[in-house]
Amino acid sequence: MLKLYDYWRSSAAYRVRIGLNLKGVDYESVPINIMPGTDEQMREPYRSLNPQMRVPALETEQGLLTQSLAILVWLDQTYRNHPFVPADPWESAQVRAFALTIACDIHPLNNTSVLTRIKLEFSADDDHVGEWYRHWIKLGFNALEHQGEQRAQTKYVFGGEPGLADIMLVPQMANARRFNTDLSPFPRLVKWDEEARKHPAFIKAAPENQKDAQKT
Ligand SMILES: N[C@@H](CCC(=O)N[C@@H](CS)C(=O)NCC(=O)O)C(=O)O
């Protein structure tokens, strides 16, 4: 069985949990506590297993996979039911652009290690950290909301079934709510997120429904 090195509050791991559930693939979740101060991702035995020292990582029959987007592509190519991206090259590029805005332009700037560094090395207090966090979300969400306005209204981000864009959006919206981001300028994103969170694959993947939730 696949083994997912996971953390309930990790939005990157949340993406992979949704992907696994949409494909209907059984997996074992192995929690790695990344809370600052505990930092299991930086300690043995996880550090040797995944020198990147981040979650998620997926243990497969062929070896360990890291990076949530690479894992999602592998899942999509390995399990052909419920495709995550459309077959059409133009449409699939739109979906990937949406996903990469979150994966490359928002998430890396708001990662735990980045927040810890601006606190410890640059004396940012909690208010500054919150401002920093919300700043990058607002910039990225502005682009996604504006691009969404150019398209017809759809149930999910790119059509009638949830795909890669929804897999990326829902965890990022959870982060945005956690840091009290004003989401009123992003009505389409809010609507898509609300819709996706009713889907069983997304419910099962939700942070509060993980075995390590709130205990750590
Ligand atoms: N680009 C990576 C990001 C992985 C990542 O940064 N995960 C965070 C949790 S969401 C983490 O493990 N952080 C630990 C740290 O920053 O020390 C991916 O998409 O998998």
PDB file of all heavy atoms in Angstrom, residues 158-194:
ATOM      1  N   PHE A 158     -12.487  24.483 -13.301  1.00  0.00           N
ATOM      2  CA  PHE A 158     -12.413  24.379 -14.773  1.00  0.00           C
ATOM      3  C   PHE A 158     -13.469  23.438 -15.334  1.00  0.00           C
ATOM      4  O   PHE A 158     -13.212  22.738 -16.305  1.00  0.00           O
ATOM      5  CB  PHE A 158     -11.016  23.946 -15.213  1.00  0.00           C
ATOM      6  CG  PHE A 158     -10.023  25.078 -15.214  1.00  0.00           C
ATOM      7  CD1 PHE A 158      -9.253  25.334 -14.099  1.00  0.00           C
ATOM      8  CD2 PHE A 158      -9.883  25.922 -16.321  1.00  0.00           C
ATOM      9  CE1 PHE A 158      -8.334  26.385 -14.072  1.00  0.00           C
ATOM     10  CE2 PHE A 158      -8.974  26.979 -16.316  1.00  0.00           C
ATOM     11  CZ  PHE A 158      -8.196  27.211 -15.189  1.00  0.00           C
ATOM     12  N   GLY A 159     -14.651  23.372 -14.743  1.00  0.00           N
ATOM     13  CA  GLY A 159     -15.693  22.545 -15.363  1.00  0.00           C
ATOM     14  C   GLY A 159     -16.562  21.843 -14.347  1.00  0.00           C
ATOM     15  O   GLY A 159     -16.695  22.270 -13.199  1.00  0.00           O
ATOM     16  N   GLY A 160     -17.120  20.726 -14.790  1.00  0.00           N
ATOM     17  CA  GLY A 160     -18.125  20.017 -13.994  1.00  0.00           C
ATOM     18  C   GLY A 160     -17.561  18.977 -13.046  1.00  0.00           C
ATOM     19  O   GLY A 160     -18.306  18.367 -12.273  1.00  0.00           O
ATOM     20  N   GLU A 161     -16.246  18.742 -13.101  1.00  0.00           N
ATOM     21  CA  GLU A 161     -15.599  17.769 -12.209  1.00  0.00           C
ATOM     22  C   GLU A 161     -14.405  18.446 -11.533  1.00  0.00           C
ATOM     23  O   GLU A 161     -13.727  19.255 -12.162  1.00  0.00           O
ATOM     24  CB  GLU A 161     -15.071  16.563 -13.013  1.00  0.00           C
ATOM     25  CG  GLU A 161     -16.137  15.663 -13.584  1.00  0.00           C
ATOM     26  CD  GLU A 161     -16.927  14.921 -12.524  1.00  0.00           C
ATOM     27  OE1 GLU A 161     -16.366  14.637 -11.440  1.00  0.00           O
ATOM     28  OE2 GLU A 161     -18.115  14.651 -12.765  1.00  0.00           O
ATOM     29  N   PRO A 162     -14.116  18.078 -10.286  1.00  0.00           N
ATOM     30  CA  PRO A 162     -12.931  18.672  -9.653  1.00  0.00           C
ATOM     31  C   PRO A 162     -11.644  18.127 -10.260  1.00  0.00           C
ATOM     32  O   PRO A 162     -11.560  16.940 -10.580  1.00  0.00           O
ATOM     33  CB  PRO A 162     -13.057  18.254  -8.182  1.00  0.00           C
ATOM     34  CG  PRO A 162     -13.946  17.064  -8.174  1.00  0.00           C
ATOM     35  CD  PRO A 162     -14.829  17.149  -9.399  1.00  0.00           C
ATOM     36  N   GLY A 163     -10.647  18.984 -10.443  1.00  0.00           N
ATOM     37  CA  GLY A 163      -9.364  18.574 -11.035  1.00  0.00           C
ATOM     38  C   GLY A 163      -8.214  19.266 -10.325  1.00  0.00           C
ATOM     39  O   GLY A 163      -8.343  19.724  -9.171  1.00  0.00           O
ATOM     40  N   LEU A 164      -7.084  19.376 -11.021  1.00  0.00           N
ATOM     41  CA  LEU A 164      -5.859  19.894 -10.415  1.00  0.00           C
ATOM     42  C   LEU A 164      -6.053  21.289  -9.793  1.00  0.00           C
ATOM     43  O   LEU A 164      -5.531  21.568  -8.707  1.00  0.00           O
ATOM     44  CB  LEU A 164      -4.727  19.943 -11.460  1.00  0.00           C
ATOM     45  CG  LEU A 164      -3.378  20.374 -10.928  1.00  0.00           C
ATOM     46  CD1 LEU A 164      -2.809  19.373  -9.930  1.00  0.00           C
ATOM     47  CD2 LEU A 164      -2.384  20.586 -12.081  1.00  0.00           C
ATOM     48  N   ALA A 165      -6.821  22.147 -10.470  1.00  0.00           N
ATOM     49  CA  ALA A 165      -6.996  23.509  -9.945  1.00  0.00           C
ATOM     50  C   ALA A 165      -7.717  23.480  -8.594  1.00  0.00           C
ATOM     51  O   ALA A 165      -7.348  24.216  -7.666  1.00  0.00           O
ATOM     52  CB  ALA A 165      -7.761  24.360 -10.961  1.00  0.00           C
ATOM     53  N   ASP A 166      -8.737  22.633  -8.464  1.00  0.00           N
ATOM     54  CA  ASP A 166      -9.471  22.528  -7.193  1.00  0.00           C
ATOM     55  C   ASP A 166      -8.582  21.903  -6.107  1.00  0.00           C
ATOM     56  O   ASP A 166      -8.629  22.308  -4.945  1.00  0.00           O
ATOM     57  CB  ASP A 166     -10.730  21.679  -7.397  1.00  0.00           C
ATOM     58  CG  ASP A 166     -11.540  22.174  -8.571  1.00  0.00           C
ATOM     59  OD1 ASP A 166     -12.372  23.077  -8.377  1.00  0.00           O
ATOM     60  OD2 ASP A 166     -11.306  21.700  -9.712  1.00  0.00           O
ATOM     61  N   ILE A 167      -7.770  20.916  -6.529  1.00  0.00           N
ATOM     62  CA  ILE A 167      -6.847  20.256  -5.591  1.00  0.00           C
ATOM     63  C   ILE A 167      -5.889  21.289  -4.988  1.00  0.00           C
ATOM     64  O   ILE A 167      -5.499  21.202  -3.826  1.00  0.00           O
ATOM     65  CB  ILE A 167      -6.048  19.139  -6.321  1.00  0.00           C
ATOM     66  CG1 ILE A 167      -6.967  17.995  -6.741  1.00  0.00           C
ATOM     67  CG2 ILE A 167      -4.889  18.640  -5.478  1.00  0.00           C
ATOM     68  CD1 ILE A 167      -6.283  16.940  -7.636  1.00  0.00           C
ATOM     69  N   MET A 168      -5.487  22.269  -5.796  1.00  0.00           N
ATOM     70  CA  MET A 168      -4.553  23.287  -5.322  1.00  0.00           C
ATOM     71  C   MET A 168      -5.272  24.398  -4.554  1.00  0.00           C
ATOM     72  O   MET A 168      -4.740  24.940  -3.576  1.00  0.00           O
ATOM     73  CB  MET A 168      -3.817  23.917  -6.519  1.00  0.00           C
ATOM     74  CG  MET A 168      -3.011  22.943  -7.341  1.00  0.00           C
ATOM     75  SD  MET A 168      -1.744  22.079  -6.416  1.00  0.00           S
ATOM     76  CE  MET A 168      -0.616  23.430  -6.066  1.00  0.00           C
ATOM     77  N   LEU A 169      -6.471  24.753  -5.021  1.00  0.00           N
ATOM     78  CA  LEU A 169      -7.166  25.908  -4.426  1.00  0.00           C
ATOM     79  C   LEU A 169      -7.617  25.656  -2.988  1.00  0.00           C
ATOM     80  O   LEU A 169      -7.417  26.506  -2.112  1.00  0.00           O
ATOM     81  CB  LEU A 169      -8.390  26.271  -5.293  1.00  0.00           C
ATOM     82  CG  LEU A 169      -9.259  27.405  -4.739  1.00  0.00           C
ATOM     83  CD1 LEU A 169      -8.482  28.725  -4.706  1.00  0.00           C
ATOM     84  CD2 LEU A 169     -10.542  27.562  -5.557  1.00  0.00           C
ATOM     85  N   VAL A 170      -8.245  24.503  -2.755  1.00  0.00           N
ATOM     86  CA  VAL A 170      -8.882  24.275  -1.454  1.00  0.00           C
ATOM     87  C   VAL A 170      -7.878  24.360  -0.288  1.00  0.00           C
ATOM     88  O   VAL A 170      -8.134  25.069   0.698  1.00  0.00           O
ATOM     89  CB  VAL A 170      -9.686  22.942  -1.483  1.00  0.00           C
ATOM     90  CG1 VAL A 170     -10.092  22.512  -0.086  1.00  0.00           C
ATOM     91  CG2 VAL A 170     -10.911  23.117  -2.381  1.00  0.00           C
ATOM     92  N   PRO A 171      -6.708  23.692  -0.364  1.00  0.00           N
ATOM     93  CA  PRO A 171      -5.751  23.836   0.740  1.00  0.00           C
ATOM     94  C   PRO A 171      -5.230  25.270   0.909  1.00  0.00           C
ATOM     95  O   PRO A 171      -5.003  25.728   2.027  1.00  0.00           O
ATOM     96  CB  PRO A 171      -4.613  22.875   0.345  1.00  0.00           C
ATOM     97  CG  PRO A 171      -5.269  21.875  -0.559  1.00  0.00           C
ATOM     98  CD  PRO A 171      -6.268  22.661  -1.336  1.00  0.00           C
ATOM     99  N   GLN A 172      -5.071  25.989  -0.217  1.00  0.00           N
ATOM    100  CA  GLN A 172      -4.586  27.368  -0.105  1.00  0.00           C
ATOM    101  C   GLN A 172      -5.644  28.268   0.532  1.00  0.00           C
ATOM    102  O   GLN A 172      -5.322  29.190   1.295  1.00  0.00           O
ATOM    103  CB  GLN A 172      -4.176  27.897  -1.483  1.00  0.00           C
ATOM    104  CG  GLN A 172      -3.399  29.192  -1.425  1.00  0.00           C
ATOM    105  CD  GLN A 172      -2.150  29.108  -0.569  1.00  0.00           C
ATOM    106  OE1 GLN A 172      -1.288  28.260  -0.789  1.00  0.00           O
ATOM    107  NE2 GLN A 172      -2.031  29.957   0.443  1.00  0.00           N
ATOM    108  N   MET A 173      -6.907  27.996   0.248  1.00  0.00           N
ATOM    109  CA  MET A 173      -7.999  28.756   0.894  1.00  0.00           C
ATOM    110  C   MET A 173      -8.022  28.456   2.395  1.00  0.00           C
ATOM    111  O   MET A 173      -8.297  29.347   3.200  1.00  0.00           O
ATOM    112  CB  MET A 173      -9.351  28.382   0.268  1.00  0.00           C
ATOM    113  CG  MET A 173      -9.546  28.891  -1.133  1.00  0.00           C
ATOM    114  SD  MET A 173      -9.703  30.695  -1.231  1.00  0.00           S
ATOM    115  CE  MET A 173     -11.463  30.867  -1.100  1.00  0.00           C
ATOM    116  N   ALA A 174      -7.738  27.215   2.775  1.00  0.00           N
ATOM    117  CA  ALA A 174      -7.695  26.869   4.207  1.00  0.00           C
ATOM    118  C   ALA A 174      -6.596  27.687   4.893  1.00  0.00           C
ATOM    119  O   ALA A 174      -6.796  28.228   5.993  1.00  0.00           O
ATOM    120  CB  ALA A 174      -7.459  25.374   4.389  1.00  0.00           C
ATOM    121  N   ASN A 175      -5.441  27.792   4.241  1.00  0.00           N
ATOM    122  CA  ASN A 175      -4.353  28.617   4.794  1.00  0.00           C
ATOM    123  C   ASN A 175      -4.788  30.073   4.909  1.00  0.00           C
ATOM    124  O   ASN A 175      -4.493  30.747   5.894  1.00  0.00           O
ATOM    125  CB  ASN A 175      -3.117  28.559   3.881  1.00  0.00           C
ATOM    126  CG  ASN A 175      -2.362  27.250   4.010  1.00  0.00           C
ATOM    127  OD1 ASN A 175      -2.636  26.456   4.898  1.00  0.00           O
ATOM    128  ND2 ASN A 175      -1.412  27.032   3.112  1.00  0.00           N
ATOM    129  N   ALA A 176      -5.482  30.558   3.873  1.00  0.00           N
ATOM    130  CA  ALA A 176      -5.913  31.965   3.864  1.00  0.00           C
ATOM    131  C   ALA A 176      -6.863  32.236   5.042  1.00  0.00           C
ATOM    132  O   ALA A 176      -6.717  33.246   5.742  1.00  0.00           O
ATOM    133  CB  ALA A 176      -6.603  32.284   2.542  1.00  0.00           C
ATOM    134  N   ARG A 177      -7.790  31.320   5.284  1.00  0.00           N
ATOM    135  CA  ARG A 177      -8.731  31.505   6.401  1.00  0.00           C
ATOM    136  C   ARG A 177      -7.993  31.450   7.738  1.00  0.00           C
ATOM    137  O   ARG A 177      -8.285  32.207   8.649  1.00  0.00           O
ATOM    138  CB  ARG A 177      -9.844  30.444   6.356  1.00  0.00           C
ATOM    139  CG  ARG A 177     -10.901  30.702   5.286  1.00  0.00           C
ATOM    140  CD  ARG A 177     -12.096  29.790   5.483  1.00  0.00           C
ATOM    141  NE  ARG A 177     -11.722  28.395   5.360  1.00  0.00           N
ATOM    142  CZ  ARG A 177     -11.669  27.716   4.205  1.00  0.00           C
ATOM    143  NH1 ARG A 177     -11.994  28.316   3.071  1.00  0.00           N
ATOM    144  NH2 ARG A 177     -11.304  26.451   4.190  1.00  0.00           N
ATOM    145  N   ARG A 178      -7.020  30.546   7.822  1.00  0.00           N
ATOM    146  CA  ARG A 178      -6.272  30.385   9.071  1.00  0.00           C
ATOM    147  C   ARG A 178      -5.532  31.672   9.438  1.00  0.00           C
ATOM    148  O   ARG A 178      -5.359  32.000  10.603  1.00  0.00           O
ATOM    149  CB  ARG A 178      -5.290  29.229   8.885  1.00  0.00           C
ATOM    150  CG  ARG A 178      -4.758  28.681  10.159  1.00  0.00           C
ATOM    151  CD  ARG A 178      -3.984  27.411   9.868  1.00  0.00           C
ATOM    152  NE  ARG A 178      -2.764  27.427  10.627  1.00  0.00           N
ATOM    153  CZ  ARG A 178      -1.602  26.958  10.213  1.00  0.00           C
ATOM    154  NH1 ARG A 178      -1.490  26.422   9.015  1.00  0.00           N
ATOM    155  NH2 ARG A 178      -0.553  27.013  10.978  1.00  0.00           N
ATOM    156  N   PHE A 179      -5.114  32.420   8.430  1.00  0.00           N
ATOM    157  CA  PHE A 179      -4.395  33.673   8.681  1.00  0.00           C
ATOM    158  C   PHE A 179      -5.302  34.895   8.482  1.00  0.00           C
ATOM    159  O   PHE A 179      -4.834  35.987   8.210  1.00  0.00           O
ATOM    160  CB  PHE A 179      -3.143  33.752   7.800  1.00  0.00           C
ATOM    161  CG  PHE A 179      -1.959  33.042   8.422  1.00  0.00           C
ATOM    162  CD1 PHE A 179      -1.883  31.668   8.402  1.00  0.00           C
ATOM    163  CD2 PHE A 179      -0.944  33.750   9.050  1.00  0.00           C
ATOM    164  CE1 PHE A 179      -0.805  31.001   8.978  1.00  0.00           C
ATOM    165  CE2 PHE A 179       0.136  33.102   9.634  1.00  0.00           C
ATOM    166  CZ  PHE A 179       0.214  31.722   9.609  1.00  0.00           C
ATOM    167  N   ASN A 180      -6.630  34.653   8.644  1.00  0.00           N
ATOM    168  CA  ASN A 180      -7.623  35.751   8.641  1.00  0.00           C
ATOM    169  C   ASN A 180      -7.534  36.660   7.420  1.00  0.00           C
ATOM    170  O   ASN A 180      -7.615  37.887   7.544  1.00  0.00           O
ATOM    171  CB  ASN A 180      -7.479  36.608   9.909  1.00  0.00           C
ATOM    172  CG  ASN A 180      -7.633  35.773  11.154  1.00  0.00           C
ATOM    173  OD1 ASN A 180      -8.535  34.933  11.224  1.00  0.00           O
ATOM    174  ND2 ASN A 180      -6.747  35.961  12.111  1.00  0.00           N
ATOM    175  N   THR A 181      -7.371  36.082   6.252  1.00  0.00           N
ATOM    176  CA  THR A 181      -7.325  36.865   5.019  1.00  0.00           C
ATOM    177  C   THR A 181      -8.754  37.278   4.638  1.00  0.00           C
ATOM    178  O   THR A 181      -9.668  36.455   4.711  1.00  0.00           O
ATOM    179  CB  THR A 181      -6.727  36.021   3.869  1.00  0.00           C
ATOM    180  OG1 THR A 181      -5.526  35.427   4.346  1.00  0.00           O
ATOM    181  CG2 THR A 181      -6.432  36.853   2.632  1.00  0.00           C
ATOM    182  N   ASP A 182      -8.917  38.531   4.248  1.00  0.00           N
ATOM    183  CA  ASP A 182     -10.227  38.994   3.779  1.00  0.00           C
ATOM    184  C   ASP A 182     -10.469  38.391   2.394  1.00  0.00           C
ATOM    185  O   ASP A 182      -9.774  38.728   1.422  1.00  0.00           O
ATOM    186  CB  ASP A 182     -10.223  40.531   3.717  1.00  0.00           C
ATOM    187  CG  ASP A 182     -11.504  41.074   3.088  1.00  0.00           C
ATOM    188  OD1 ASP A 182     -12.490  40.305   2.977  1.00  0.00           O
ATOM    189  OD2 ASP A 182     -11.508  42.269   2.705  1.00  0.00           O
ATOM    190  N   LEU A 183     -11.457  37.507   2.301  1.00  0.00           N
ATOM    191  CA  LEU A 183     -11.698  36.805   1.027  1.00  0.00           C
ATOM    192  C   LEU A 183     -12.821  37.460   0.211  1.00  0.00           C
ATOM    193  O   LEU A 183     -13.150  36.973  -0.871  1.00  0.00           O
ATOM    194  CB  LEU A 183     -12.019  35.329   1.301  1.00  0.00           C
ATOM    195  CG  LEU A 183     -10.849  34.523   1.889  1.00  0.00           C
ATOM    196  CD1 LEU A 183     -11.294  33.121   2.284  1.00  0.00           C
ATOM    197  CD2 LEU A 183      -9.686  34.455   0.902  1.00  0.00           C
ATOM    198  N   SER A 184     -13.358  38.581   0.717  1.00  0.00           N
ATOM    199  CA  SER A 184     -14.478  39.210  -0.009  1.00  0.00           C
ATOM    200  C   SER A 184     -14.101  39.669  -1.432  1.00  0.00           C
ATOM    201  O   SER A 184     -14.967  39.654  -2.309  1.00  0.00           O
ATOM    202  CB  SER A 184     -15.095  40.347   0.798  1.00  0.00           C
ATOM    203  OG  SER A 184     -14.129  41.322   1.061  1.00  0.00           O
ATOM    204  N   PRO A 185     -12.839  40.038  -1.725  1.00  0.00           N
ATOM    205  CA  PRO A 185     -12.527  40.416  -3.117  1.00  0.00           C
ATOM    206  C   PRO A 185     -12.452  39.210  -4.076  1.00  0.00           C
ATOM    207  O   PRO A 185     -12.223  39.405  -5.262  1.00  0.00           O
ATOM    208  CB  PRO A 185     -11.139  41.074  -3.016  1.00  0.00           C
ATOM    209  CG  PRO A 185     -10.918  41.350  -1.580  1.00  0.00           C
ATOM    210  CD  PRO A 185     -11.698  40.314  -0.831  1.00  0.00           C
ATOM    211  N   PHE A 186     -12.654  38.000  -3.549  1.00  0.00           N
ATOM    212  CA  PHE A 186     -12.448  36.811  -4.389  1.00  0.00           C
ATOM    213  C   PHE A 186     -13.689  35.907  -4.406  1.00  0.00           C
ATOM    214  O   PHE A 186     -13.617  34.727  -4.021  1.00  0.00           O
ATOM    215  CB  PHE A 186     -11.234  36.013  -3.875  1.00  0.00           C
ATOM    216  CG  PHE A 186     -10.046  36.878  -3.549  1.00  0.00           C
ATOM    217  CD1 PHE A 186      -9.590  36.993  -2.236  1.00  0.00           C
ATOM    218  CD2 PHE A 186      -9.406  37.605  -4.543  1.00  0.00           C
ATOM    219  CE1 PHE A 186      -8.511  37.803  -1.929  1.00  0.00           C
ATOM    220  CE2 PHE A 186      -8.321  38.423  -4.246  1.00  0.00           C
ATOM    221  CZ  PHE A 186      -7.874  38.526  -2.938  1.00  0.00           C
ATOM    222  N   PRO A 187     -14.848  36.443  -4.859  1.00  0.00           N
ATOM    223  CA  PRO A 187     -16.098  35.663  -4.756  1.00  0.00           C
ATOM    224  C   PRO A 187     -16.079  34.355  -5.555  1.00  0.00           C
ATOM    225  O   PRO A 187     -16.658  33.362  -5.118  1.00  0.00           O
ATOM    226  CB  PRO A 187     -17.175  36.622  -5.293  1.00  0.00           C
ATOM    227  CG  PRO A 187     -16.425  37.683  -6.046  1.00  0.00           C
ATOM    228  CD  PRO A 187     -15.080  37.788  -5.406  1.00  0.00           C
ATOM    229  N   ARG A 188     -15.403  34.357  -6.698  1.00  0.00           N
ATOM    230  CA  ARG A 188     -15.368  33.109  -7.486  1.00  0.00           C
ATOM    231  C   ARG A 188     -14.544  32.049  -6.774  1.00  0.00           C
ATOM    232  O   ARG A 188     -14.923  30.882  -6.733  1.00  0.00           O
ATOM    233  CB  ARG A 188     -14.763  33.364  -8.869  1.00  0.00           C
ATOM    234  CG  ARG A 188     -15.746  33.981  -9.810  1.00  0.00           C
ATOM    235  CD  ARG A 188     -15.204  33.955 -11.223  1.00  0.00           C
ATOM    236  NE  ARG A 188     -16.204  34.557 -12.065  1.00  0.00           N
ATOM    237  CZ  ARG A 188     -16.720  33.975 -13.148  1.00  0.00           C
ATOM    238  NH1 ARG A 188     -16.311  32.796 -13.536  1.00  0.00           N
ATOM    239  NH2 ARG A 188     -17.645  34.571 -13.853  1.00  0.00           N
ATOM    240  N   LEU A 189     -13.408  32.450  -6.246  1.00  0.00           N
ATOM    241  CA  LEU A 189     -12.560  31.483  -5.532  1.00  0.00           C
ATOM    242  C   LEU A 189     -13.316  30.925  -4.333  1.00  0.00           C
ATOM    243  O   LEU A 189     -13.275  29.721  -4.061  1.00  0.00           O
ATOM    244  CB  LEU A 189     -11.249  32.138  -5.075  1.00  0.00           C
ATOM    245  CG  LEU A 189     -10.361  32.768  -6.153  1.00  0.00           C
ATOM    246  CD1 LEU A 189      -9.033  33.219  -5.547  1.00  0.00           C
ATOM    247  CD2 LEU A 189     -10.092  31.805  -7.304  1.00  0.00           C
ATOM    248  N   VAL A 190     -14.042  31.800  -3.627  1.00  0.00           N
ATOM    249  CA  VAL A 190     -14.811  31.370  -2.452  1.00  0.00           C
ATOM    250  C   VAL A 190     -15.879  30.354  -2.875  1.00  0.00           C
ATOM    251  O   VAL A 190     -16.048  29.314  -2.235  1.00  0.00           O
ATOM    252  CB  VAL A 190     -15.460  32.594  -1.751  1.00  0.00           C
ATOM    253  CG1 VAL A 190     -16.506  32.167  -0.729  1.00  0.00           C
ATOM    254  CG2 VAL A 190     -14.373  33.450  -1.087  1.00  0.00           C
ATOM    255  N   LYS A 191     -16.546  30.636  -3.970  1.00  0.00           N
ATOM    256  CA  LYS A 191     -17.620  29.746  -4.438  1.00  0.00           C
ATOM    257  C   LYS A 191     -17.051  28.383  -4.854  1.00  0.00           C
ATOM    258  O   LYS A 191     -17.578  27.334  -4.492  1.00  0.00           O
ATOM    259  CB  LYS A 191     -18.338  30.411  -5.627  1.00  0.00           C
ATOM    260  CG  LYS A 191     -19.637  29.772  -6.010  1.00  0.00           C
ATOM    261  CD  LYS A 191     -20.201  30.426  -7.254  1.00  0.00           C
ATOM    262  CE  LYS A 191     -20.543  29.447  -8.340  1.00  0.00           C
ATOM    263  NZ  LYS A 191     -19.498  28.722  -9.003  1.00  0.00           N
ATOM    264  N   TRP A 192     -15.951  28.408  -5.607  1.00  0.00           N
ATOM    265  CA  TRP A 192     -15.337  27.136  -6.047  1.00  0.00           C
ATOM    266  C   TRP A 192     -14.859  26.326  -4.845  1.00  0.00           C
ATOM    267  O   TRP A 192     -15.013  25.109  -4.795  1.00  0.00           O
ATOM    268  CB  TRP A 192     -14.151  27.422  -6.974  1.00  0.00           C
ATOM    269  CG  TRP A 192     -14.533  27.789  -8.374  1.00  0.00           C
ATOM    270  CD1 TRP A 192     -15.556  27.262  -9.126  1.00  0.00           C
ATOM    271  CD2 TRP A 192     -13.877  28.754  -9.205  1.00  0.00           C
ATOM    272  NE1 TRP A 192     -15.560  27.842 -10.366  1.00  0.00           N
ATOM    273  CE2 TRP A 192     -14.547  28.759 -10.446  1.00  0.00           C
ATOM    274  CE3 TRP A 192     -12.798  29.607  -9.029  1.00  0.00           C
ATOM    275  CZ2 TRP A 192     -14.173  29.582 -11.507  1.00  0.00           C
ATOM    276  CZ3 TRP A 192     -12.418  30.429 -10.088  1.00  0.00           C
ATOM    277  CH2 TRP A 192     -13.096  30.414 -11.304  1.00  0.00           C
ATOM    278  N   ASP A 193     -14.271  27.027  -3.889  1.00  0.00           N
ATOM    279  CA  ASP A 193     -13.761  26.348  -2.689  1.00  0.00           C
ATOM    280  C   ASP A 193     -14.918  25.715  -1.909  1.00  0.00           C
ATOM    281  O   ASP A 193     -14.827  24.555  -1.478  1.00  0.00           O
ATOM    282  CB  ASP A 193     -13.021  27.382  -1.827  1.00  0.00           C
ATOM    283  CG  ASP A 193     -12.660  26.862  -0.458  1.00  0.00           C
ATOM    284  OD1 ASP A 193     -11.884  25.893  -0.392  1.00  0.00           O
ATOM    285  OD2 ASP A 193     -13.152  27.409   0.548  1.00  0.00           O
ATOM    286  N   GLU A 194     -16.009  26.461  -1.758  1.00  0.00           N
ATOM    287  CA  GLU A 194     -17.163  25.933  -1.003  1.00  0.00           C
ATOM    288  C   GLU A 194     -17.727  24.701  -1.688  1.00  0.00           C
ATOM    289  O   GLU A 194     -18.081  23.718  -1.043  1.00  0.00           O
ATOM    290  CB  GLU A 194     -18.250  27.005  -0.878  1.00  0.00           C
ATOM    291  CG  GLU A 194     -17.938  27.995   0.218  1.00  0.00           C
ATOM    292  CD  GLU A 194     -18.917  29.172   0.255  1.00  0.00           C
ATOM    293  OE1 GLU A 194     -19.887  29.198  -0.549  1.00  0.00           O
ATOM    294  OE2 GLU A 194     -18.672  30.064   1.065  1.00  0.00           O
TER     295      GLU A 194
END
